[in-house]
């Protein structure tokens, strides 16, 4: 076994690997960027090495610097985590050339599975079923359009070097094929530097089921399946194991297909073979097809660990150190059911925009596994994925595991930023999902219902106002202080798009009348805890102008400074601003240009995603205030339109 390993990653997965390494008596080395100097994974490691700037290209993607850090600290092996360099075969070659061990598959195995078209040919040869489609080298647009007709609509255009939904387009009508192809190729070029695509038959009621495999370079086993069908725009939201409705014969067929795939490339370590499954008429042995293989540890690996009792990271270290497979297939079994949700800092009502912010409060409930790379006081950076944590529950049955997840989500507390907690809660309460009736289109079909905001009650707004004024924690030692005088105290809070004027009139230190607009709320402190209109107040946190109320999955209120002069709201439609901190990837506007409502004027890159910024109305560009390559803060004005009055005068 290794004495010391370096983790070439950050955040949650770096912390996860360190936990297992520590349990095995293996010392760890962290690497970190400027933005991560005070991060959790740096604090957890035995040693830490600074490797560059905040952007991934300046740090976590610099393989030569990471290898040098490993050698300087005496690390014998490098664990890549997931993302960044985890599936880069050139990095694997460089690690081994430096005399170090790469904790993962060989460069050859990664290359064989790295391009979707070549991988599908290889899988066909290994006897693994593949989706009907064209996976060849001819990228002529007319030729691909003809192949799409042969396959039969609807079809899916996918970047051969793709991942995370980038370079992927669904085409349901032949007339839309040319535009969809150009769009997919453009996005693939930006994301991967490779415009090539493949064309596949689109399954009308698809499920996404993947098989966890593990190999020692010669032999492989599978650790059963995970259902990852609950997705939004090809991004997984909730994963579970085992898959709902799975039968013994289909599990055997899929599992052994995964094993054949792994053994065909001499796979070593943990990997995932992903299948698209026809869920229209129940699971069938002839109703699943190979999509791709992820040659690394998956984000959702904890659900497999929960149902098998296997520490997959521990297995990775053991096999990389030279051991054979830690268990045979007949020694592996399923125990109960498990769910994992991905908790993100994102503004769901605004279209799931990634959010930033300092976590003023962070608390996870007992009874659930919480894998996180952040702590209270940490900042969600615009440079990386905005994941706060993965929350995992387990139970003897699917119903129990799901019930425990509902409880865990309700008891999770995040202050200082908006999150997708309410969205996750709505999914767990969804009748179809609760019944196990899932497919990849579920979220899109019911999105409007799933993202409905619940407006805070007057009592909740009043409680937030009481806390904003600092009256929620006052103790009896302050008795007699003029805080309890007859004068009312006022504060204005913003929640979403709404402003709330709140007036608090203390009646001694344990009672208050709170006026929220025209509604009166009675607050009484009983036994040290506040009650609003007879109901116990929810936990609350106040920090730096924000009030976080931990009810209904969390509500964020911003305090409005009465001295701040409001900007005329009429100008809102004239300025295209950055909705979050990020990199201006492209500008499609110039002064004097006429634009129509909905025209794309700029692309902002943030949190590993590209966001198109659109014109809010018809108009004329007055001024372009930013350039491609600029790093901007949230709210920064990028493009300004001519005032409507000026346009009318000119006309």
């Amino acid at each position: 076994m290794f004495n010391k390993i370096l983790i070439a990653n950050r955040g949650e997965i770096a912390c996860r690997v360190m936990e297992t390494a520590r349990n095995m008596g293996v010392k760890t080395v962290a690497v970190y960027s400027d933005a991560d100097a005070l991060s959790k994974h740096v604090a957890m490691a035995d040693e830490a090495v600074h490797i560059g700037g905040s952007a991934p290209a300046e740090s976590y993607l610099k393989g030569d610097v990471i290898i040098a850090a490993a050698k300087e600290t005496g690390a014998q092996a490098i664990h890549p985590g997931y993302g960044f360099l985890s599936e880069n075969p050139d990095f694997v070659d460089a690690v081994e050339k430096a005399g170090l061990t790469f904790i993962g598959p060989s460069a050859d195995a990664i290359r064989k599975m790295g391009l979707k078209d070549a991988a599908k040919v290889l899988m066909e040869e290994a006897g693994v079923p593949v989706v009907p489609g064209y996976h060849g080298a001819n990228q002529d647009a007319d030729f691909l359009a003809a192949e799409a007709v042969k396959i039969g609509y609807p079809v899916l255009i996918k970047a051969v070097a793709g991942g995370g939904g980038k370079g992927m387009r669904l085409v349901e009508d032949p007339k839309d094929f040319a535009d969809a192809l150009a769009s997919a190729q453009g996005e693939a070029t930006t994301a991967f530097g490779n415009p090539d695509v493949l064309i596949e038959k689109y399954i009308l009621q698809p499920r996404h089921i993947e098989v966890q495999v593990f190999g020692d370079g010669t032999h492989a086993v599978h650790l059963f399946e995970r259902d990852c069908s609950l997705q939004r725009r090809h991004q997984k939201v909730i994963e579970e194991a085992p898959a709902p409705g799975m039968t013994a014969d289909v599990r055997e067929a899929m599992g052994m297909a995964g094993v054949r795939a792994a053994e065909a490339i001499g796979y070593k370590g943990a990997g995932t073979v992903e299948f698209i499954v026809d869920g229209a008429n129940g699971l069938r042995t002839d109703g699943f097809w190979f999509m791709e293989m992820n040659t690394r540890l998956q984000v959702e690996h904890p659900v497999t660990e929960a149902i098998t009792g296997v520490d997959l990271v521990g297995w990775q270290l053991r096999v990389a150190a030279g051991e054979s497979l830690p268990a045979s297939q007949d020694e592996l079994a399923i125990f109960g059911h498990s769910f994992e949700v991905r908790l993100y800092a994102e503004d769901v009502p605004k279209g799931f925009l990634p959010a930033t912010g300092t976590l003023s409060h962070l608390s996870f409930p007992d009874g659930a596994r919480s894998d996180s790379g952040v702590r209270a006081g940490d900042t969600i950076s615009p440079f990386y994925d905005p994941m706060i944590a993965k929350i995992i529950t387990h139970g003897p049955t699917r119903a129990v595991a799901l019930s425990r997840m509902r409880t865990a989500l309700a008891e999770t507390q995040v202050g200082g930023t908006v999150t997708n907690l309410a969205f996750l809660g709505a999914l767990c309460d969804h009748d179809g999902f609760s019944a196990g009736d899932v497919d990849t289109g579920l979220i899109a079909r019911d999105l409007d219902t799933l993202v409905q905001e619940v407006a805070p009650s007057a009592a909740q707004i009043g409680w937030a106002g009481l806390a904003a004024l600092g009256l929620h924690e006052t103790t009896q030692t302050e008795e007699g202080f003029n805080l309890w005088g007859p004068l009312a105290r006022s504060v204005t809070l913003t929640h979403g798009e709404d402003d709330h004027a709140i007036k608090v009139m203390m009646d001694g230190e344990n009672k208050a009348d709170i006026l929220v607009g025209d509604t009166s709320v009675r607050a009484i402190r009983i036994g040290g805890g506040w009650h609003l209109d007879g109901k116990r107040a929810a936990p609350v946190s106040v920090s730096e102008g924000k009030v976080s109320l931990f009810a209904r999955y969390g509500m964020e209120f911003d305090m409005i400074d009465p001295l701040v002069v409001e900007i005329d709201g009429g100008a809102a439609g004239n300025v295209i601003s950055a909705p979050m901190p990020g990199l201006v990837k492209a500008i499609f506007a110039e002064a004097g240009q006429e634009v129509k409502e909905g025209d794309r004027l700029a692309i902002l890159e943030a949190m590993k995603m590209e966001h198109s910024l659109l014109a809010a109305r018809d108009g004329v560009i007055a001024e372009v205030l930013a350039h491609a390559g600029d790093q901007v803060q949230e709210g920064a004005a990028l493009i300004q339109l001519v005032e409507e009055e000026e346009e009318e005068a000119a006309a």
Side-chain angles (χ1 to χ4, degrees), residues 74-96:
Q76 300 154 297
I78 294 178
H79 194 301
Y82 50 70
F84 295 135
L85 295 169
S86 62
E87 294 180 281
N88 185 319
D90 294 337
F91 178 64
V92 179
D93 284 336
V95 169
E96 294 177 347

Side-chain angles (χ1 to χ4, degrees), residues 371-391:
D371 287 9
S372 179
V374 293
R375 306 149 299 183
D378 287 349
T379 297
I380 304 297
S381 165
F383 295 101
Y384 314 114
D385 185 278
M387 180 186 285
I388 295 172
K390 301 180 316 193
I391 301 173

Side-chain angles (χ1 to χ4, degrees), residues 44-69:
M44 283 184 65
D46 296 292
E47 299 175 63
V49 180
H50 177 252
I51 55 170
S54 299
E58 300 170 355
S59 49
Y60 297 108
L61 293 176
K62 296 179 71 172
D64 56 339
V65 177
I66 291 171
I67 291 171

